[in-house]
């Protein structure tokens, strides 16, 4: 069975932003899907709630977009 969750990358990209992606673990092997969305620092991501903090512009829209994409990927992995 696969596990799917939203994560931030541990290293900043060349712009100093931290990419947000979806981690899919199947049989202990992780793979990542990045949609091109970033946060300015890792403190802007709430790991416990799995959402972008309100200090980021358009945080609610970004969180909703990530949850929608997460639901799509979960549906695909359950097939």
């Amino acid at each position: 069975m696969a596990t799917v969750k939203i994560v931030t990358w541990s290293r900043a990209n060349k712009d100093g932003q931290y990419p947000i992606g979806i981690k899919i673990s199947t049989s202990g092997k992780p793979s990542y899907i990045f949609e091109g969305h970033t946060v300015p620092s890792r403190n802007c991501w709430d790991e416990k709630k799995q959402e972008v903090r309100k200090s980021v512009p358009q945080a609610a829209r970004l969180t909703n977009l990530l949850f929608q994409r997460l639901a799509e990927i979960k549906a695909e992995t359950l097939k």
Side-chain angles (χ1 to χ4, degrees):
M1 174 129 170
T3 59
V4 182
K5 71 178 196 174
I6 303 170
V7 296
T8 56
W9 200 246
S10 59
R11 297 181 307 258
N13 60 12
K14 64 182 177 181
D15 299 327
Q17 301 278 321
Y18 290 85
I20 300 174
I22 298 174
K23 179 181 178 181
I24 305 168
S25 296
T26 307
S27 301
K29 297 178 183 178
S31 62
Y32 296 90
I33 298 174
F34 291 99
E35 299 291 324
H37 301 288
T38 60
V39 290
S41 73
R42 293 200 65 198
N43 294 333
C44 294
W45 176 254
D46 189 353
E47 187 70 33
K48 192 173 188 180
K49 293 182 182 178
Q50 293 284 299
E51 64 183 26
V52 179
R53 294 190 193 267
K54 294 180 182 178
S55 61
V56 177
Q58 305 292 328
R61 287 185 180 190
L62 182 55
T63 299
N64 288 336
L65 176 74
L66 291 169
F67 277 127
Q68 182 180 22
R69 186 69 177 130
L70 182 69
E72 291 171 3
I73 292 173
K74 281 185 178 180
E76 288 177 17
T77 58
L78 290 177
K79 287 182 180 180

